[in-house]
Amino acid sequence: MTTIDATTQTDRPGGPATTPILEAHGLVKTFGRVVGLDGVDLELYRGEVLAIIGDNGAGKSTLIKCLTGAEIPDRGGILLDGKPVHFKRPQDARTAGIETVYQTLAVAPSLDVASNLFLGREVRRKGVLGSVFRMTDRAGMRERARRELRELGISTLQDVTVPVENLSGGQRQAVAVARAAAFGSKVVVLDEPTAALGVRESGQVLELVRTLRDKGVPVIIISHNMPQVFEVADRIHIQRLGKRVATITPKSHTMTEAVAIMTGAAEA
Amino acid sequence: MSTSMLPAHDPALEFLDHRTPIDRARGLLHRYPALSPAIVLVVSVIVFGFLNDRFWAPGNLSLITQQVAVVGTLAVAQTLVILTAGIDLSVGSAMVLASMVIAQVTSAAGVPAVPALMIGLVVGLATGGLNGLLVTRLKLPPFIATLGTLNIFLAITLLYSRGATVRGAEMPSLMTWTGTTFPVFGVRISTGVLLMLGAYLLVALVLSRTAWGTHVYAVGDDKDAARLSGISVNRVLLSVYLSAGAILALAAWIQIGRSNAASPNVGVDLNLDSITAVVIGGTSLFGGRGTVWGTLLGALIVGVFRNGLSLAGLDVLYQTLAVGVLVIIAVSLDQWIRKVRK
Ligand SMILES: Nc1ncnc2c1ncn2[C@@H]1O[C@H](COP(=O)(O)OP(=O)(O)O)[C@@H](O)[C@H]1O
Ligand SMILES: [Mg+2]
């Protein structure tokens, strides 16, 4: 097995010269006496899918939360595009271009697909209707929603006026991912996006992840499903007991080796 | 790597559903919450018209609209609150407080009409603001918060007015202007009814055409999801209770015109009657689903039932009974409709 440094140097997509789009170093987060993160580094490069795996309680969600403003780390720093950022709340990260799909889907079931895609960032109409009367540009948002969904290859969602509650689980997840991906975001973070889905629907979501990556949007994905991780990820960040123990790739390691590192049965 | 693990998806499959006609009906009612009250209203109007031909008399139709004006206006405020999965038990008593303040400052203190109405608006906003702060800052369940303020507003009203009614003649004529009527195709419509319709139109437009309207539905749907979507949930809630306060001030004005007086004893039934109209109008008590037009239909249904049953010579208790049955049917229907959600 190779060392952490060797794999990160040789296998990152942009080559050694590129700076990571998102970078964390020395992240520490404690909850009272419980150590959630114990000095974690992470690098995400342009155009890659980075999977985060680890046992329950390894600190995956806490790491994600620190990167997306849902938790504030005790120590350590985060760089976005090489510049330090200090997120106080999720909205800060979102404004900076980091979109997150939380495990508990953040969609409004009774609103239609287009309204959900634009929820919290509605587009107003031009002229006084928009500026004085604050009317939203419904037709424009629907048109834009259709276009975004088409570009993401989500052909099953062409009727953007359907309430989200009438959709299947996979389609809802697709709406949530599309929402994260649709607005020129720099980074998309997905926390266990396929956990509640069947095989076919999981496949749709993974396809979406690849589409995003191919459009140049890097993706961080937490998953427990090793075959899915090995299918979709370019690199795999392994968390164990609040630390990053290794960063591997599907080519450098087998699933069995990855699980062994994850559980502490093998050294990285 | 990029080969799909999926079979090619066939969009036509989405339309080949195997739903029964009942499922379809449920889906339709789910998508158009005002549909069931619209059907109930049409049927009840036809039935009551058959039972007694005086029902269609212009004077009677005029009476129904005027009886609906106050509770119908309060029900607009109630709809906003219920859409956020809240409830406002205090709208009626807050309205009476506003109407007593308007009446007192014009009659006893001699404040001119327009400033008096502004004072009424401020009272309405203050009551709504108090409810909003209790719900957003103290995190009280709306039911409890407004149960408390219901009693507080009631007590303040009685203390402030010393239980005395102020007659319309003691106030400037603008105060009772909402009770003046004019003919529309032979049916006399009051200014108050027009103001009520204006409130419906305005709120319907705001709910369907502004981001704020979308956020009201989103907050009622799922507060956490709304928050994670970047919506300031507390700000939306506070603005909803403040809007309710402004609307109940309008209702206070309509009430003074309608009864040609301001009385501290009118509002207790209105708290619950406004909820009745909203619920019969197809708005879900669980939030996120419903329209103000449904509420207007709900208010009209209650008015038509009360009027039709009394024309049929039935005791007023049967009206109360009928309204009770309607509420239970409406809520059961909502429960059943909501099962569409997977
Ligand atoms: N809000 C919290 N309060 C207290 N302890 C927490 C909190 N969030 C996470 N933890 C603890 O931090 C550790 C890492 O948790 P988490 O990041 O959720 O792990 P994972 O997502 O990998 O399962 C666990 O021991 C967990 O109990
Ligand atoms: Mg977790």
Side-chain angles (χ1 to χ4, degrees):
Chain A
M1 268 180 233
T2 41
T3 64
I4 305 167
D5 281 329
T7 52
T8 47
Q9 286 301 317
T10 51
D11 288 322
R12 69 191 191 207
T18 43
T19 51
I21 184 151
L22 184 65
E23 188 176 3
H25 46 84
L27 290 184
V28 175
K29 178 72 191 176
T30 54
F31 304 96
R33 264 175 297 164
V34 179
V35 180
L37 295 180
D38 188 9
V40 175
D41 297 343
L42 176 145
E43 305 85 25
L44 176 72
Y45 293 92
R46 265 163 253 276
E48 76 168 344
V49 175
L50 176 70
I52 300 179
I53 63 172
D55 249 346
N56 279 330
K60 303 183 296 294
S61 294
T62 308
L63 175 57
I64 288 297
K65 284 177 181 162
C66 288
L67 294 176
T68 61
E71 298 275 9
I72 302 171
D74 303 340
R75 263 188 283 143
I78 299 169
L79 304 174
L80 181 65
D81 263 338
K83 291 181 209 73
V85 285
H86 303 277
F87 303 134
K88 299 268 184 303
R89 58 189 85 81
Q91 193 57 31
D92 296 345
R94 205 176 169 202
T95 310
I98 302 179
E99 289 281 343
T100 311
V101 178
Y102 299 91
Q103 202 166 350
T104 53
L105 274 188
V107 292
S110 77
L111 296 179
D112 65 30
V113 173
S115 302
N116 264 288
L117 284 184
F118 283 88
L119 194 57
R121 52 185 155 203
E122 288 80 3
V123 179
R124 291 215 204 107
R125 289 178 65 156
K126 292 202 179 66
V128 283
L129 285 178
S131 60
V132 179
F133 295 102
R134 314 230 139 206
M135 286 174 69
T136 47
D137 181 9
R138 258 202 310 198
M141 287 195 289
R142 285 179 177 171
E143 186 47 48
R144 171 103 187 267
R146 266 179 224 114
R147 205 172 61 224
E148 296 282 359
L149 290 173
R150 211 179 311 127
E151 279 174 17
L152 289 170
I154 310 173
S155 56
T156 60
L157 278 179
Q158 276 308 296
D159 186 357
V160 295
T161 65
V162 176
V164 164
E165 65 199 344
N166 293 358
L167 303 178
S168 69
Q171 288 174 319
R172 281 189 211 194
Q173 187 65 263
V175 170
V177 176
R179 216 179 106 74
F183 296 91
S185 43
K186 286 183 180 154
V187 174
V188 171
V189 180
L190 308 169
D191 194 352
E192 308 229 12
T194 59
L197 302 182
V199 173
R200 195 180 80 103
E201 294 187 319
S202 297
Q204 281 174 324
V205 171
L206 294 184
E207 191 59 48
L208 201 50
V209 169
R210 276 189 289 266
T211 308
L212 270 181
R213 191 243 337 258
D214 295 345
K215 285 176 63 175
V217 181
V219 180
I220 298 179
I221 179 170
I222 295 183
S223 179
H224 271 123
N225 185 317
M226 285 304 139
Q228 283 179 10
V229 165
F230 272 73
E231 189 199 333
V232 80
D234 297 303
R235 293 187 308 133
I236 302 168
H237 169 127
I238 306 181
Q239 243 338 92
R240 178 170 155 69
L241 302 175
K243 290 192 162 89
R244 173 173 74 175
V245 288
T247 305
I248 62 168
T249 77
K251 290 184 199 103
S252 69
H253 290 66
T254 65
M255 276 188 228
T256 323
E257 287 165 341
V259 172
I261 298 171
M262 195 178 110
T263 55
E267 290 290 308
Chain B
M1 183 70 175
S2 64
T3 52
S4 172
M5 58 187 274
L6 309 173
H9 182 73
D10 181 8
L13 282 176
E14 301 288 317
F15 297 97
L16 279 176
D17 58 14
H18 304 285
R19 297 182 308 164
T20 64
I22 289 181
D23 287 341
R24 267 168 223 275
R26 180 155 72 181
L28 209 59
L29 291 177
H30 189 264
R31 194 142 194 204
Y32 304 100
L35 195 59
S36 39
I39 295 168
V40 172
L41 182 63
V42 169
V43 170
S44 57
V45 163
I46 291 171
V47 169
F48 287 123
F50 266 114
L51 288 180
N52 193 323
D53 33 324
R54 268 191 301 151
F55 181 85
W56 285 110
N60 188 54
L61 294 180
S62 168
L63 183 67
I64 293 176
T65 62
Q66 290 178 49
Q67 281 169 340
V68 164
V70 174
V71 71
T73 307
L74 286 178
V76 180
Q78 191 69 258
T79 309
L80 284 174
V81 174
I82 290 182
L83 279 177
T84 65
I87 197 147
D88 189 348
L89 297 175
S90 74
V91 269
S93 58
M95 181 212 78
V96 181
L97 176 58
S99 73
M100 290 315 296
V101 171
I102 293 172
Q104 291 274 356
V105 297
T106 51
S107 66
V111 174
V114 173
L117 285 176
M118 289 301 131
I119 292 171
L121 179 62
V122 169
V123 171
L125 290 173
T127 61
L130 177 61
N131 285 333
L133 289 176
L134 290 174
V135 169
T136 57
R137 298 283 157 234
L138 293 191
K139 309 278 179 218
L140 296 184
F143 184 91
I144 299 300
T146 58
L147 182 63
T149 54
L150 151 70
N151 289 296
I152 292 170
F153 300 152
L154 198 66
I156 293 176
T157 305
L158 291 170
L159 288 170
Y160 173 74
S161 67
R162 294 186 201 84
T165 295
V166 180
R167 285 176 296 113
E170 299 171 55
M171 295 178 244
S173 62
L174 184 64
M175 304 327 311
T176 51
W177 176 69
T178 50
T180 54
T181 62
F182 52 91
V184 176
F185 302 113
V187 178
R188 296 202 76 82
I189 296 294
S190 75
T191 320
V193 170
L194 277 196
L195 288 174
M196 173 193 79
L197 291 176
Y200 274 95
L201 189 61
L202 182 69
V203 174
L205 281 176
V206 168
L207 278 178
S208 64
R209 298 298 158 104
T210 69
W212 183 81
T214 307
H215 296 175
V216 168
Y217 282 93
V219 165
D221 243 355
D222 186 337
K223 287 191 176 49
D224 295 325
R227 191 172 291 119
L228 290 174
S229 302
I231 294 171
S232 172
V233 172
N234 281 344
R235 200 145 71 200
V236 171
L237 286 175
L238 189 59
S239 65
V240 160
Y241 284 94
L242 282 171
S243 309
I247 296 166
L248 70 86
L250 175 68
W253 187 21
I254 298 173
Q255 166 71 37
I256 293 172
R258 160 81 187 125
S259 54
N260 194 25
S263 160
N265 307 316
V266 290
V268 189
D269 293 342
L270 292 171
N271 294 314
L272 294 182
D273 286 354
S274 65
I275 298 170
T276 303
V278 175
V279 167
I280 292 178
T283 293
S284 172
L285 287 171
F286 300 97
R289 201 182 74 89
T291 63
V292 280
W293 297 121
T295 299
L296 179 59
L297 295 170
L300 287 171
I301 288 171
V302 174
V304 164
F305 261 73
R306 287 197 184 280
N307 179 275
L309 291 172
S310 90
L311 280 185
L314 288 174
D315 188 275
V316 68
L317 286 178
Y318 286 97
Q319 302 171 21
T320 310
L321 184 84
V323 171
V325 171
L326 277 178
V327 168
I328 288 174
I329 292 175
V331 175
S332 313
L333 191 65
D334 177 49
Q335 297 273 32
W336 179 70
I337 290 170
R338 286 168 54 87
K339 287 201 200 129
V340 170
R341 290 190 175 189
K342 285 167 207 136

